[in-house]
């Protein structure tokens, strides 16, 4: 099958550390030293734009490299990608084994005549995703599979001739000298500690044992993904860690959220945003990320989640998610592990201030949020403080500004949350196949969507590089089979989000429809300095609360009325939002430039997904907390604040992540960087987990 071949950068240069090739999550072949001959001038043409002659030349070079590098074809692994199994033959989305139809697809690649003779034990599934694009004759599941050559030959020797003739195809059939094995974070740390202790024993010339130095004391503020993973790294490496969380453990947090939904009682420090697990706990639990699904750091996070109770399917699913019902027991297991290691857990404890002396952070001033307001605060002293608060901890931003901590405004996105009946989305995406969804229990996944457009100043389609006035318009945090929920942290403000349970069995599908905003949009709030974006968010959250009439009632408008700038429908379609909706002029909520961009993007979305504009589609206001509106400046190598020594900002609230996985990865790297500063870790984490993402612009998810 012909395909556009993108020559992997790893094939264009020698690998400086061959052993690190086997730690990468991508197949890697070490090329010869003469790398200059592989440069091809093609006038900046890439991928599908390459000329056929260029593609052929690249493919021939890749095959030559592989044939010269494979010393023994009777060993090693082949990664077979893009293996399609028609829906009618596949057991369905919940089956992650090697089925007979998948063996047929493998046999076709090997050109092996009898698929049933291939032993299932020789193959392992790396990825499984669903492809229902209308250009296909039939929807299919697409697999990536690793083939163990040695095991295959032991079980079925007659496959040798076919393996010997197997040709390398970039992105489809790739050879690996050894199996790519990634470990969970705890195993990685234990291996590094064992290697270090073994090396120390070998280097020791006598048996004298130096006294163990005093354990450094570290505070981790915030128990979201970044805080939990930073905490796990530090305590496993020997620090004395205190985890400080203003909210409640998931059990009590669930009761507080229940009181909010049933009786409209908002606990300002225990709600959909604050509490154990962070804002992602009561969400869809998406584990999709743009920082490299196959990277070792992401795989370490995913396998750590499995270790604490996540289903193993998340390692294989093309669009992995957990759902709130699975996140809650997972977080409980995570907490128990930290307790067993000696972590001091302080829930209902809000950090009110940093203790600073000569630009050194000496500790934190905290108070118990469940006690009487007059009970006062007290000081806790530490050798370092990891700041892993979420993007809704606005009081922390204000406190940092008071200490002259470097805060850099950054772009984020605002908009509205749109809701459709899930059956409508299923029908739009799957057509006649929609009946196979069966409220999340059928053969195919509950249908979702991801839409992105760019709108210029004149509301015309444009490319992403057309100038400063271009806005990115996109769907965000799409929750199939979910519900709209309240994420306010103040009774006078109103903001919303979406959530789903693991089966995604609700009648509704919702997603944010948002457009990017930048400092150009914050002119009216410039007096707030770096916090202009925060005040911008707060302004429209307060306006939304007024439009709803109070008591957390959400202002809503049909999509058709929003596009026509009118309010003709006061009897709204049903909504999943449980605290009530009220018809309102959402087209008058945001500034005209943002409203027009939203309107134009919705019209473009309907062209891509006909039926998106529907009488049953309902817009809810407002969605403003898509990511942090600022970044806390830190050193890229040490993760330490550029303004205060011993302060380590990390995660989504610090502006360096935007989702469960990316926040966990950032917290993990931050934990290792701090451990190195405290002499708890002497290794090179990048040799184990790869190079960390250096975020320089809009946040990656």
């Amino acid at each position: 099958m012909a395909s556009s071949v993108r020559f992997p950068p790893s094939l264009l240069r020698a690998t400086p550390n061959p052993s690190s090739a086997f730690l990468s999550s991508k197949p890697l072949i070490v090329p010869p030293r003469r790398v200059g001959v592989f440069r091809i001038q093609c006038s900046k043409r890439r991928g599908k734009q390459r000329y056929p002659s260029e593609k052929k030349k690249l493919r021939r070079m890749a095959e030559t490299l592989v044939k010269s590098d494979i010393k023994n074809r009777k060993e090693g692994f082949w990664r077979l990608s893009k293996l399609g199994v028609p829906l009618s033959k596949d057991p369905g989305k919940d089956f992650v084994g090697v089925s007979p139809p998948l063996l047929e697809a493998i046999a076709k690649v090997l050109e092996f005549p009898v698929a049933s003779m291939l032993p299932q034990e020789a193959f392992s599934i790396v990825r499984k995703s669903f492809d229902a694009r209308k250009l296909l004759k039939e929807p299919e599941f697409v697999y990536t599979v690793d083939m163990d050559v040695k095991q295959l030959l032991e079980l079925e020797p007659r496959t040798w001739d076919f393996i010997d003739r197997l040709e390398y195809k970039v992105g489809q059939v790739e050879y690996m000298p050894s199996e790519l094995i990634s470990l969970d974070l705890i195993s990685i740390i234990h291996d590094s500690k064992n290697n270090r202790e073994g090396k120390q024993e070998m280097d020791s010339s006598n048996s004298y044992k130096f006294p163990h130095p005093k354990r450094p004391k570290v505070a981790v503020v915030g128990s979201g993904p970044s805080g939990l993973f930073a905490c796990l790294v530090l305590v496993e490496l020997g620090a004395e860690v205190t985890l400080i969380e203003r909210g409640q453990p998931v059990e009590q947090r669930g009761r507080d959220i229940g009181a909010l939904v049933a009786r409209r009682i908002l606990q300002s420090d225990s709600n959909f945003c604050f509490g154990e697990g962070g804002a992602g706990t009561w969400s869809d639990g998406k584990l999709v990320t743009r920082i490299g699904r196959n990277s070792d750091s992401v795989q370490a996070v995913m396998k750590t989640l499995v270790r604490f109770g996540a289903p193993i399917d998340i390692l294989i699913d093309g669009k992995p998610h957990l759902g709130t019902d699975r996140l809650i027991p997972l977080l409980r297991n995570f907490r128990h592990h930290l307790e067993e290691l000696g972590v001091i857990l302080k829930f209902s404890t809000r950090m009110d201030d940093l203790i600073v002396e000569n630009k050194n952070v000496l500790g934190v001033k905290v108070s118990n949020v469940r006690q009487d307001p007059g009970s006062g605060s007290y000081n806790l002293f530490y050798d370092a403080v990891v700041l892993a608060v979420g993007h809704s901890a606005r009081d922390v931003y204000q406190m940092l500004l008071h200490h002259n901590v470097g805060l850099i405004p950054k772009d984020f996105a605002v908009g509205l949350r749109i809701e459709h009946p899930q059956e409508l989305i299923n029908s739009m995406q799957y057509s006649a196949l929609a009946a196979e969804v069966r409220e999340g229990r059928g053969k195919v996944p509950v249908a979702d969507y991801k839409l992105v457009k760019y709108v210029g100043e004149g509301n015309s389609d444009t490319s992403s590089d057309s100038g400063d006035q271009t806005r990115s318009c996109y769907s965000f945090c799409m929750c199939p089979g979910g519900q709209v929920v309240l994420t306010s942290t103040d009774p006078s403000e109103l903001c919303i989000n979406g959530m789903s349970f693991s089966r995604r069995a609700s009648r509704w599908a919702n997603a944010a429809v948002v457009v990017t905003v930048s400092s150009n949009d914050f002119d009216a709030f410039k007096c707030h300095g770096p916090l202009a974006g925060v005040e911008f968010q707060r302004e429209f959250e307060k306006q939304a609360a007024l439009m709803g009439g109070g008591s957390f009632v959400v202002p809503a408008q049909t999509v058709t009325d929003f596009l026509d700038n009118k309010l003709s429908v006061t009897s709204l379609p049903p909504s999943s939002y449980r605290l009530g909706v009220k018809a309102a002029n959402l087209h008058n909520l945001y500034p005209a430039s943002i409203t027009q961009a939203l309107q134009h993007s919705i019209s473009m979305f309907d062209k891509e997904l006909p039926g998106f504009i529907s009488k049953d589609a309902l817009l809810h206001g407002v969605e403003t907390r898509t990511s942090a509106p600022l970044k806390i400046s830190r050193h890229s190598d040490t993760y330490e604040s550029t303004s205060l020594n011993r302060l380590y900002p990390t995660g989504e609230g610090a502006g360096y992540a935007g989702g469960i996985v990316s926040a966990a990865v950032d917290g993990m790297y931050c934990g290792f960087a701090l451990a190195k500063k405290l002499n708890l870790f002497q290794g090179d984490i990048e040799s184990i987990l790869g190079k960390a993402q250096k975020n320089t612009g809009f946040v990656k998810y």
Side-chain angles (χ1 to χ4, degrees):
M1 177 180 177
S3 64
S4 60
V5 178
R6 187 184 297 275
F7 202 66
S10 58
L11 295 179
L12 296 178
R13 59 180 180 271
T15 305
N17 181 7
S19 64
S20 66
F22 307 117
L23 298 169
S24 171
S25 57
K26 295 182 179 180
L28 204 61
I29 302 298
V30 181
R33 289 286 178 183
R34 294 188 306 112
V35 297
V37 298
F38 302 129
R39 292 185 179 178
I40 296 176
Q41 300 297 328
C42 55
S43 302
K44 296 184 179 180
R45 298 179 70 87
R46 299 289 187 270
K48 294 182 179 179
Q49 294 182 345
R50 284 195 176 108
Y51 296 109
S53 59
E54 294 169 349
K55 296 178 185 178
K56 185 176 181 179
K57 192 171 184 179
L58 287 170
R59 185 162 52 246
R60 189 183 301 119
M61 288 189 301
E63 292 171 355
T64 301
L65 280 175
V66 172
K67 288 178 181 178
S68 65
D69 191 78
I70 301 176
K71 305 303 181 183
N72 184 3
R73 279 182 170 255
K74 293 186 177 181
E75 294 183 353
F77 292 78
W78 287 87
R79 175 157 290 182
L80 312 178
S81 304
K82 301 179 182 178
L83 300 173
V85 176
L87 173 65
S88 58
K89 295 184 178 181
D90 195 274
K93 63 178 176 61
D94 295 323
F95 183 81
V96 292
V98 179
S99 64
L102 178 57
L103 288 178
E104 292 177 10
I106 295 171
K108 186 176 180 180
V109 173
L110 297 178
E111 298 182 357
F112 190 73
V114 186
S116 59
M117 294 175 62
L118 294 175
Q120 295 179 350
E121 298 84 350
F123 305 96
S124 57
I125 298 177
V126 176
R127 190 82 70 248
K128 179 178 182 178
S129 57
F130 185 59
D131 190 349
R133 290 176 296 171
K134 293 178 174 58
L135 58 87
L136 300 173
K137 292 182 179 179
E138 180 183 352
E140 62 183 19
F141 284 95
V142 182
Y143 290 83
T144 299
V145 173
D146 280 354
M147 178 176 69
D148 185 336
V149 175
K150 186 175 182 180
Q151 188 174 19
L152 178 60
L153 292 175
E154 288 176 354
L155 297 172
E156 182 46 77
R158 284 168 290 189
T159 57
W160 163 242
D161 289 340
F162 302 91
I163 294 173
D164 189 45
R165 295 197 302 264
L166 192 59
E167 295 185 359
Y168 185 96
K169 295 180 182 178
V170 178
Q172 290 182 273
V173 182
E174 299 173 303
Y175 177 77
M176 303 175 292
S178 63
E179 187 177 14
L180 301 178
I181 300 176
S182 54
L183 303 174
D184 64 86
L185 178 57
I186 297 172
S187 299
I188 289 171
I189 294 173
H190 288 182
D191 283 359
S192 69
K193 288 166 65 177
N194 291 337
N195 292 337
R196 177 187 170 193
E197 291 169 1
K199 187 175 184 299
Q200 288 176 338
E201 289 179 6
M202 292 175 61
D203 294 342
S204 177
S205 58
N206 56 61
S207 60
Y208 177 75
K209 299 285 185 179
F210 289 96
H212 193 279
K214 182 182 177 182
R215 295 173 65 194
K217 296 177 64 176
V218 178
V220 177
V221 183
S223 67
S226 58
L228 288 173
F229 274 79
C231 185
L232 181 60
V233 170
L234 289 163
V235 70
E236 286 280 1
L237 289 173
E240 183 180 324
V241 183
T242 301
L243 182 60
I244 299 172
E245 169 58 54
R246 70 195 301 165
Q248 295 292 318
V250 286
E251 300 88 348
Q252 178 58 45
R253 187 182 177 191
R255 290 189 284 272
D256 291 338
I257 288 174
L260 172 60
V261 173
R263 301 191 297 278
R264 304 177 191 271
I265 301 173
L266 174 64
Q267 297 289 344
S268 59
D269 292 293
S270 180
N271 44 57
F272 279 97
C273 285
F274 297 143
E276 187 177 21
T281 305
W282 266 265
S283 71
D284 187 54
K286 289 180 182 63
L287 302 177
V288 179
T289 179
R290 290 171 51 199
I291 64 172
R293 169 67 193 271
N294 291 327
S295 67
D296 289 290
S297 57
V298 170
Q299 285 295 304
V301 168
M302 300 288 276
K303 292 193 174 182
T304 303
L305 296 178
V306 170
R307 181 172 183 140
F308 288 129
I312 198 169
D313 301 14
I314 66 171
L315 304 177
I316 296 172
D317 192 352
K319 293 181 179 179
H321 80 105
L322 288 169
T324 294
D325 50 325
R326 287 175 173 169
L327 274 167
I328 291 173
L330 185 155
L331 287 166
R332 190 184 298 120
N333 294 338
F334 207 131
R335 183 209 314 155
H336 291 163
H337 180 78
L338 295 178
E339 287 178 318
E340 290 173 358
L341 293 175
V343 173
I344 301 170
L345 301 173
K346 288 185 174 292
F347 290 105
S348 301
T349 304
R350 183 178 57 234
M351 180 186 69
D352 297 322
D353 201 358
L354 293 171
I355 303 172
V356 180
E357 185 177 304
N358 297 326
K359 292 191 175 182
N360 291 309
V361 173
L362 305 181
V364 292
K365 181 178 291 186
V366 299
S367 59
N368 191 308
V369 300
R370 292 279 173 167
Q371 292 180 355
D372 294 333
S375 60
S377 58
Y378 55 98
N379 296 338
L380 297 171
F381 293 93
Y382 299 98
D383 298 302
V385 174
V386 175
L387 195 63
V389 297
H391 58 52
S392 292
R394 293 167 172 172
D395 54 339
V396 173
Y397 294 150
Q398 189 67 52
M399 178 268 294
L400 294 175
L401 188 63
H402 174 73
H403 286 289
N404 296 316
V405 172
L407 303 177
I408 305 170
K410 76 173 185 63
D411 294 358
F412 57 101
V414 299
L416 306 167
R417 186 154 284 264
I418 190 169
E419 185 170 68
H420 297 83
Q422 182 62 53
E423 287 186 357
L424 178 61
I425 301 299
N426 293 341
S427 178
M428 285 191 289
Q429 293 288 57
Y430 295 156
S431 300
L433 189 64
E436 292 294 333
V437 174
R438 299 175 189 170
E439 296 183 336
R441 300 182 182 276
K443 289 185 67 174
V444 303
V446 180
D448 62 4
Y449 57 82
K450 183 178 181 180
L451 302 165
V452 181
K453 293 293 180 182
Y454 296 94
V455 178
E457 184 69 20
N459 280 348
S460 58
D461 286 316
T462 184
S463 64
S464 60
D465 57 356
S466 60
D468 294 337
Q469 300 303 314
T470 300
R471 292 188 191 273
S472 174
C473 309
Y474 57 97
S475 60
F476 170 79
C477 187
M478 198 274 157
C479 297
Q483 57 186 288
V484 179
V485 296
L486 177 74
T487 53
S488 298
T489 51
D490 187 303
S492 66
E493 300 163 1
L494 190 64
C495 62
I496 54 174
N497 197 3
M499 67 162 282
S500 300
F501 293 107
S502 57
R503 276 292 175 184
R504 293 172 162 173
S506 153
R507 295 167 51 202
W508 311 106
N510 68 77
V513 177
V514 295
V515 298
T516 52
V517 292
S518 65
S519 56
N520 296 330
D521 297 294
F522 310 149
D523 286 344
F525 307 96
K526 282 185 176 179
C527 61
H528 296 279
L531 302 185
V534 174
E535 295 304 318
F536 179 86
Q537 292 174 327
R538 183 175 279 140
E539 171 69 18
F540 297 106
E541 291 171 8
K542 288 182 176 180
Q543 288 190 32
L546 291 174
M547 279 187 168
S551 298
F552 305 115
V553 174
V554 161
Q557 188 176 22
T558 61
V559 170
T560 50
D561 273 4
F562 179 74
L563 296 178
D564 294 336
N565 292 318
K566 64 182 183 181
L567 186 64
S568 63
V569 178
T570 56
S571 178
L572 298 174
S575 167
S576 67
Y577 182 72
R578 294 176 60 182
L579 294 175
V581 296
K582 177 184 176 182
N585 291 306
L586 292 180
H587 56 273
N588 292 332
L589 176 61
Y590 287 114
S593 57
I594 295 177
T595 299
Q596 290 168 9
L598 287 169
Q599 290 170 334
H600 195 65
S601 63
I602 290 173
S603 298
M604 291 190 292
F605 292 166
D606 187 68
K607 293 178 182 178
E608 188 169 334
L609 197 61
F612 193 79
I613 297 175
S614 163
K615 62 181 179 61
D616 296 319
L618 189 63
L619 290 166
H620 303 66
V622 291
E623 180 111 3
T624 53
R625 305 188 193 184
T626 53
S627 67
L630 52 81
K631 184 181 292 187
I632 304 173
S633 180
R634 72 185 185 190
H635 294 289
S636 60
D637 52 346
T638 65
Y639 288 72
E640 191 173 22
S641 166
T642 57
S643 307
L644 294 177
N645 300 324
R646 303 181 184 178
L647 179 67
Y648 292 78
T650 183
E652 188 164 355
Y656 295 94
I660 293 174
V661 173
S662 59
V665 168
D666 195 62
M668 185 167 60
Y669 277 101
C670 180
F672 276 110
L674 175 53
K676 197 162 190 174
K677 181 72 174 290
L678 298 173
N679 293 318
L680 298 173
F681 176 74
Q682 277 75 43
D684 178 13
I685 187 56
E686 290 190 350
S687 68
I688 301 173
L689 294 179
K691 196 171 182 63
Q693 289 274 341
K694 303 301 182 186
N695 189 283
T696 56
F698 198 70
V699 69
K700 286 188 175 183
Y701 287 83

